PDB file of all heavy atoms in Angstrom:
ATOM      1  N   THR A 326       0.825  -1.198   0.010  1.00 97.00           N
ATOM      2  CA  THR A 326      -0.005  -0.015  -0.004  1.00 97.00           C
ATOM      3  C   THR A 326       0.885   1.259   0.004  1.00 97.00           C
ATOM      4  O   THR A 326       1.743   1.417   0.852  1.00 97.00           O
ATOM      5  CB  THR A 326      -0.923   0.012   1.207  1.00 97.00           C
ATOM      6  OG1 THR A 326      -1.831  -1.082   1.114  1.00 97.00           O
ATOM      7  CG2 THR A 326      -1.719   1.319   1.307  1.00 97.00           C
ATOM      8  N   ALA A 327       0.668   2.142  -0.977  1.00 98.00           N
ATOM      9  CA  ALA A 327       1.444   3.336  -1.116  1.00 98.00           C
ATOM     10  C   ALA A 327       0.947   4.128  -2.294  1.00 98.00           C
ATOM     11  O   ALA A 327       0.068   3.652  -3.062  1.00 98.00           O
ATOM     12  CB  ALA A 327       2.912   2.993  -1.332  1.00 98.00           C
ATOM     13  N   VAL A 328       1.455   5.326  -2.435  1.00 98.00           N
ATOM     14  CA  VAL A 328       1.242   6.075  -3.653  1.00 98.00           C
ATOM     15  C   VAL A 328       2.386   5.734  -4.578  1.00 98.00           C
ATOM     16  O   VAL A 328       3.550   5.829  -4.212  1.00 98.00           O
ATOM     17  CB  VAL A 328       1.215   7.597  -3.419  1.00 98.00           C
ATOM     18  CG1 VAL A 328       1.073   8.342  -4.721  1.00 98.00           C
ATOM     19  CG2 VAL A 328       0.073   7.965  -2.490  1.00 98.00           C
ATOM     20  N   TYR A 329       2.057   5.310  -5.781  1.00 98.00           N
ATOM     21  CA  TYR A 329       3.058   4.885  -6.760  1.00 98.00           C
ATOM     22  C   TYR A 329       3.269   6.010  -7.768  1.00 98.00           C
ATOM     23  O   TYR A 329       2.332   6.549  -8.351  1.00 98.00           O
ATOM     24  CB  TYR A 329       2.627   3.602  -7.468  1.00 98.00           C
ATOM     25  CG  TYR A 329       2.804   2.400  -6.600  1.00 98.00           C
ATOM     26  CD1 TYR A 329       1.970   2.177  -5.505  1.00 98.00           C
ATOM     27  CD2 TYR A 329       3.814   1.443  -6.858  1.00 98.00           C
ATOM     28  CE1 TYR A 329       2.150   1.065  -4.676  1.00 98.00           C
ATOM     29  CE2 TYR A 329       3.999   0.354  -6.044  1.00 98.00           C
ATOM     30  CZ  TYR A 329       3.160   0.168  -4.972  1.00 98.00           C
ATOM     31  OH  TYR A 329       3.329  -0.948  -4.170  1.00 98.00           O
ATOM     32  N   TYR A 330       4.534   6.362  -7.959  1.00 98.00           N
ATOM     33  CA  TYR A 330       4.911   7.464  -8.827  1.00 98.00           C
ATOM     34  C   TYR A 330       5.726   6.950 -10.028  1.00 98.00           C
ATOM     35  O   TYR A 330       6.611   6.131  -9.866  1.00 98.00           O
ATOM     36  CB  TYR A 330       5.750   8.484  -8.046  1.00 98.00           C
ATOM     37  CG  TYR A 330       5.052   9.207  -6.959  1.00 98.00           C
ATOM     38  CD1 TYR A 330       5.062   8.699  -5.654  1.00 98.00           C
ATOM     39  CD2 TYR A 330       4.329  10.373  -7.170  1.00 98.00           C
ATOM     40  CE1 TYR A 330       4.402   9.351  -4.617  1.00 98.00           C
ATOM     41  CE2 TYR A 330       3.674  11.053  -6.155  1.00 98.00           C
ATOM     42  CZ  TYR A 330       3.722  10.523  -4.908  1.00 98.00           C
ATOM     43  OH  TYR A 330       3.070  11.170  -3.884  1.00 98.00           O
ATOM     44  N   CYS A 331       5.475   7.541 -11.140  1.00 98.00           N
ATOM     45  CA  CYS A 331       6.246   7.295 -12.336  1.00 98.00           C
ATOM     46  C   CYS A 331       7.371   8.296 -12.440  1.00 98.00           C
ATOM     47  O   CYS A 331       7.204   9.478 -12.143  1.00 98.00           O
ATOM     48  CB  CYS A 331       5.328   7.394 -13.556  1.00 98.00           C
ATOM     49  SG  CYS A 331       6.136   7.126 -15.147  1.00 98.00           S
ATOM     50  N   ASN A 332       8.509   7.819 -12.867  1.00 97.00           N
ATOM     51  CA  ASN A 332       9.678   8.676 -13.045  1.00 97.00           C
ATOM     52  C   ASN A 332      10.276   8.428 -14.434  1.00 97.00           C
ATOM     53  O   ASN A 332      10.321   7.322 -14.888  1.00 97.00           O
ATOM     54  CB  ASN A 332      10.739   8.383 -11.975  1.00 97.00           C
ATOM     55  CG  ASN A 332      12.096   9.017 -12.245  1.00 97.00           C
ATOM     56  OD1 ASN A 332      12.952   8.387 -12.851  1.00 97.00           O
ATOM     57  ND2 ASN A 332      12.274  10.224 -11.804  1.00 97.00           N
ATOM     58  N   ALA A 333      10.772   9.475 -15.030  1.00 96.00           N
ATOM     59  CA  ALA A 333      11.412   9.345 -16.345  1.00 96.00           C
ATOM     60  C   ALA A 333      12.602  10.289 -16.401  1.00 96.00           C
ATOM     61  O   ALA A 333      12.582  11.392 -15.882  1.00 96.00           O
ATOM     62  CB  ALA A 333      10.442   9.653 -17.472  1.00 96.00           C
ATOM     63  N   GLN A 334      13.650   9.824 -17.057  1.00 95.00           N
ATOM     64  CA  GLN A 334      14.794  10.659 -17.342  1.00 95.00           C
ATOM     65  C   GLN A 334      14.724  11.078 -18.814  1.00 95.00           C
ATOM     66  O   GLN A 334      14.408  10.276 -19.682  1.00 95.00           O
ATOM     67  CB  GLN A 334      16.093   9.890 -17.055  1.00 95.00           C
ATOM     68  CG  GLN A 334      16.296   9.531 -15.610  1.00 95.00           C
ATOM     69  CD  GLN A 334      17.631   8.827 -15.348  1.00 95.00           C
ATOM     70  OE1 GLN A 334      18.330   8.482 -16.268  1.00 95.00           O
ATOM     71  NE2 GLN A 334      17.959   8.658 -14.104  1.00 95.00           N
ATOM     72  N   GLY A 335      15.048  12.332 -19.041  1.00 93.00           N
ATOM     73  CA  GLY A 335      14.978  12.852 -20.401  1.00 93.00           C
ATOM     74  C   GLY A 335      16.054  13.851 -20.693  1.00 93.00           C
ATOM     75  O   GLY A 335      16.619  14.475 -19.800  1.00 93.00           O
ATOM     76  N   ARG A 336      16.353  13.980 -21.967  1.00 93.00           N
ATOM     77  CA  ARG A 336      17.331  14.935 -22.444  1.00 93.00           C
ATOM     78  C   ARG A 336      16.734  15.760 -23.576  1.00 93.00           C
ATOM     79  O   ARG A 336      16.157  15.180 -24.519  1.00 93.00           O
ATOM     80  CB  ARG A 336      18.612  14.230 -22.953  1.00 93.00           C
ATOM     81  CG  ARG A 336      19.334  13.400 -21.881  1.00 93.00           C
ATOM     82  CD  ARG A 336      20.762  13.093 -22.302  1.00 93.00           C
ATOM     83  NE  ARG A 336      20.795  12.326 -23.555  1.00 93.00           N
ATOM     84  CZ  ARG A 336      21.905  12.004 -24.199  1.00 93.00           C
ATOM     85  NH1 ARG A 336      23.088  12.395 -23.732  1.00 93.00           N
ATOM     86  NH2 ARG A 336      21.841  11.328 -25.327  1.00 93.00           N
ATOM     87  N   LEU A 337      16.859  17.098 -23.473  1.00 91.00           N
ATOM     88  CA  LEU A 337      16.307  17.965 -24.450  1.00 91.00           C
ATOM     89  C   LEU A 337      17.039  17.771 -25.776  1.00 91.00           C
ATOM     90  O   LEU A 337      18.254  17.914 -25.847  1.00 91.00           O
ATOM     91  CB  LEU A 337      16.375  19.407 -23.979  1.00 91.00           C
ATOM     92  CG  LEU A 337      15.795  20.488 -24.899  1.00 91.00           C
ATOM     93  CD1 LEU A 337      14.303  20.260 -25.008  1.00 91.00           C
ATOM     94  CD2 LEU A 337      16.087  21.849 -24.358  1.00 91.00           C
ATOM     95  N   TYR A 338      16.264  17.447 -26.798  1.00 91.00           N
ATOM     96  CA  TYR A 338      16.828  17.192 -28.112  1.00 91.00           C
ATOM     97  C   TYR A 338      17.965  16.179 -28.046  1.00 91.00           C
ATOM     98  O   TYR A 338      18.937  16.237 -28.813  1.00 91.00           O
ATOM     99  CB  TYR A 338      17.316  18.502 -28.765  1.00 91.00           C
ATOM    100  CG  TYR A 338      16.201  19.499 -28.993  1.00 91.00           C
ATOM    101  CD1 TYR A 338      16.197  20.692 -28.311  1.00 91.00           C
ATOM    102  CD2 TYR A 338      15.169  19.218 -29.858  1.00 91.00           C
ATOM    103  CE1 TYR A 338      15.171  21.617 -28.498  1.00 91.00           C
ATOM    104  CE2 TYR A 338      14.146  20.131 -30.055  1.00 91.00           C
ATOM    105  CZ  TYR A 338      14.156  21.312 -29.385  1.00 91.00           C
ATOM    106  OH  TYR A 338      13.125  22.217 -29.559  1.00 91.00           O
ATOM    107  N   ASP A 339      17.805  15.207 -27.141  1.00 89.00           N
ATOM    108  CA  ASP A 339      18.773  14.128 -26.925  1.00 89.00           C
ATOM    109  C   ASP A 339      20.145  14.672 -26.634  1.00 89.00           C
ATOM    110  O   ASP A 339      21.162  14.105 -27.072  1.00 89.00           O
ATOM    111  CB  ASP A 339      18.769  13.197 -28.170  1.00 89.00           C
ATOM    112  CG  ASP A 339      19.338  11.848 -27.846  1.00 89.00           C
ATOM    113  OD1 ASP A 339      19.329  11.430 -26.657  1.00 89.00           O
ATOM    114  OD2 ASP A 339      19.786  11.153 -28.788  1.00 89.00           O
ATOM    115  N   THR A 340      20.215  15.788 -25.898  1.00 92.00           N
ATOM    116  CA  THR A 340      21.474  16.437 -25.570  1.00 92.00           C
ATOM    117  C   THR A 340      21.584  16.643 -24.066  1.00 92.00           C
ATOM    118  O   THR A 340      20.589  16.987 -23.420  1.00 92.00           O
ATOM    119  CB  THR A 340      21.529  17.807 -26.283  1.00 92.00           C
ATOM    120  OG1 THR A 340      21.477  17.626 -27.721  1.00 92.00           O
ATOM    121  CG2 THR A 340      22.854  18.496 -25.940  1.00 92.00           C
ATOM    122  N   PRO A 341      22.755  16.377 -23.454  1.00 94.00           N
ATOM    123  CA  PRO A 341      22.931  16.594 -22.049  1.00 94.00           C
ATOM    124  C   PRO A 341      22.613  18.024 -21.634  1.00 94.00           C
ATOM    125  O   PRO A 341      22.711  18.962 -22.458  1.00 94.00           O
ATOM    126  CB  PRO A 341      24.428  16.289 -21.823  1.00 94.00           C
ATOM    127  CG  PRO A 341      24.796  15.382 -22.933  1.00 94.00           C
ATOM    128  CD  PRO A 341      23.996  15.872 -24.097  1.00 94.00           C
ATOM    129  N   PRO A 342      22.193  18.241 -20.363  1.00 94.00           N
ATOM    130  CA  PRO A 342      22.148  17.301 -19.226  1.00 94.00           C
ATOM    131  C   PRO A 342      20.861  16.472 -19.217  1.00 94.00           C
ATOM    132  O   PRO A 342      19.863  16.861 -19.849  1.00 94.00           O
ATOM    133  CB  PRO A 342      22.206  18.222 -18.022  1.00 94.00           C
ATOM    134  CG  PRO A 342      21.481  19.426 -18.465  1.00 94.00           C
ATOM    135  CD  PRO A 342      21.914  19.632 -19.904  1.00 94.00           C
ATOM    136  N   THR A 343      20.899  15.367 -18.509  1.00 94.00           N
ATOM    137  CA  THR A 343      19.736  14.535 -18.274  1.00 94.00           C
ATOM    138  C   THR A 343      18.920  15.077 -17.090  1.00 94.00           C
ATOM    139  O   THR A 343      19.490  15.410 -16.053  1.00 94.00           O
ATOM    140  CB  THR A 343      20.126  13.078 -18.002  1.00 94.00           C
ATOM    141  OG1 THR A 343      20.811  12.559 -19.150  1.00 94.00           O
ATOM    142  CG2 THR A 343      18.885  12.205 -17.772  1.00 94.00           C
ATOM    143  N   ARG A 344      17.623  15.163 -17.247  1.00 94.00           N
ATOM    144  CA  ARG A 344      16.717  15.661 -16.207  1.00 94.00           C
ATOM    145  C   ARG A 344      15.727  14.590 -15.763  1.00 94.00           C
ATOM    146  O   ARG A 344      15.389  13.685 -16.530  1.00 94.00           O
ATOM    147  CB  ARG A 344      15.950  16.905 -16.683  1.00 94.00           C
ATOM    148  CG  ARG A 344      16.855  18.084 -17.070  1.00 94.00           C
ATOM    149  CD  ARG A 344      16.033  19.182 -17.709  1.00 94.00           C
ATOM    150  NE  ARG A 344      14.996  19.661 -16.878  1.00 94.00           N
ATOM    151  CZ  ARG A 344      15.144  20.619 -15.952  1.00 94.00           C
ATOM    152  NH1 ARG A 344      16.332  21.182 -15.782  1.00 94.00           N
ATOM    153  NH2 ARG A 344      14.134  20.997 -15.191  1.00 94.00           N
ATOM    154  N   ASP A 345      15.267  14.706 -14.519  1.00 95.00           N
ATOM    155  CA  ASP A 345      14.258  13.790 -13.975  1.00 95.00           C
ATOM    156  C   ASP A 345      12.882  14.441 -14.019  1.00 95.00           C
ATOM    157  O   ASP A 345      12.727  15.632 -13.714  1.00 95.00           O
ATOM    158  CB  ASP A 345      14.597  13.439 -12.520  1.00 95.00           C
ATOM    159  CG  ASP A 345      15.568  12.289 -12.385  1.00 95.00           C
ATOM    160  OD1 ASP A 345      15.617  11.456 -13.302  1.00 95.00           O
ATOM    161  OD2 ASP A 345      16.292  12.253 -11.380  1.00 95.00           O
ATOM    162  N   PHE A 346      11.887  13.661 -14.351  1.00 95.00           N
ATOM    163  CA  PHE A 346      10.513  14.102 -14.378  1.00 95.00           C
ATOM    164  C   PHE A 346       9.637  13.146 -13.565  1.00 95.00           C
ATOM    165  O   PHE A 346       9.892  11.915 -13.557  1.00 95.00           O
ATOM    166  CB  PHE A 346       9.982  14.180 -15.802  1.00 95.00           C
ATOM    167  CG  PHE A 346      10.772  15.148 -16.681  1.00 95.00           C
ATOM    168  CD1 PHE A 346      11.846  14.682 -17.426  1.00 95.00           C
ATOM    169  CD2 PHE A 346      10.502  16.489 -16.697  1.00 95.00           C
ATOM    170  CE1 PHE A 346      12.603  15.535 -18.208  1.00 95.00           C
ATOM    171  CE2 PHE A 346      11.259  17.386 -17.469  1.00 95.00           C
ATOM    172  CZ  PHE A 346      12.302  16.892 -18.215  1.00 95.00           C
ATOM    173  N   TRP A 347       8.598  13.658 -12.925  1.00 96.00           N
ATOM    174  CA  TRP A 347       7.768  12.876 -12.041  1.00 96.00           C
ATOM    175  C   TRP A 347       6.276  13.045 -12.387  1.00 96.00           C
ATOM    176  O   TRP A 347       5.824  14.128 -12.722  1.00 96.00           O
ATOM    177  CB  TRP A 347       7.968  13.294 -10.576  1.00 96.00           C
ATOM    178  CG  TRP A 347       9.357  12.957 -10.062  1.00 96.00           C
ATOM    179  CD1 TRP A 347      10.434  13.766 -10.097  1.00 96.00           C
ATOM    180  CD2 TRP A 347       9.730  11.762  -9.429  1.00 96.00           C
ATOM    181  NE1 TRP A 347      11.519  13.117  -9.537  1.00 96.00           N
ATOM    182  CE2 TRP A 347      11.106  11.862  -9.113  1.00 96.00           C
ATOM    183  CE3 TRP A 347       9.078  10.583  -9.120  1.00 96.00           C
ATOM    184  CZ2 TRP A 347      11.824  10.850  -8.485  1.00 96.00           C
ATOM    185  CZ3 TRP A 347       9.790   9.579  -8.510  1.00 96.00           C
ATOM    186  CH2 TRP A 347      11.147   9.724  -8.172  1.00 96.00           C
ATOM    187  N   GLY A 348       5.539  11.969 -12.240  1.00 97.00           N
ATOM    188  CA  GLY A 348       4.091  12.048 -12.287  1.00 97.00           C
ATOM    189  C   GLY A 348       3.512  12.446 -10.925  1.00 97.00           C
ATOM    190  O   GLY A 348       4.236  12.582  -9.956  1.00 97.00           O
ATOM    191  N   GLN A 349       2.209  12.593 -10.872  1.00 96.00           N
ATOM    192  CA  GLN A 349       1.571  13.014  -9.633  1.00 96.00           C
ATOM    193  C   GLN A 349       1.176  11.869  -8.719  1.00 96.00           C
ATOM    194  O   GLN A 349       0.814  12.050  -7.583  1.00 96.00           O
ATOM    195  CB  GLN A 349       0.306  13.864  -9.946  1.00 96.00           C
ATOM    196  CG  GLN A 349       0.648  15.204 -10.598  1.00 96.00           C
ATOM    197  CD  GLN A 349      -0.582  16.061 -10.761  1.00 96.00           C
ATOM    198  OE1 GLN A 349      -1.705  15.676 -10.464  1.00 96.00           O
ATOM    199  NE2 GLN A 349      -0.361  17.281 -11.257  1.00 96.00           N
TER     200      GLN A 349
END
């Protein structure tokens, strides 16, 4: 039992740096 969150790593135009993004 918990709140489950989605996480994704992304790069703008496939160029560094890599950033983290989170769902609600």
Side-chain angles (χ1 to χ4, degrees):
T326 295
V328 177
Y329 284 71
Y330 295 91
C331 179
N332 168 268
Q334 296 183 350
R336 299 196 301 174
L337 184 62
Y338 299 115
D339 202 22
T340 300
T343 299
R344 298 173 59 86
D345 276 331
F346 302 92
W347 294 90
Q349 294 186 356

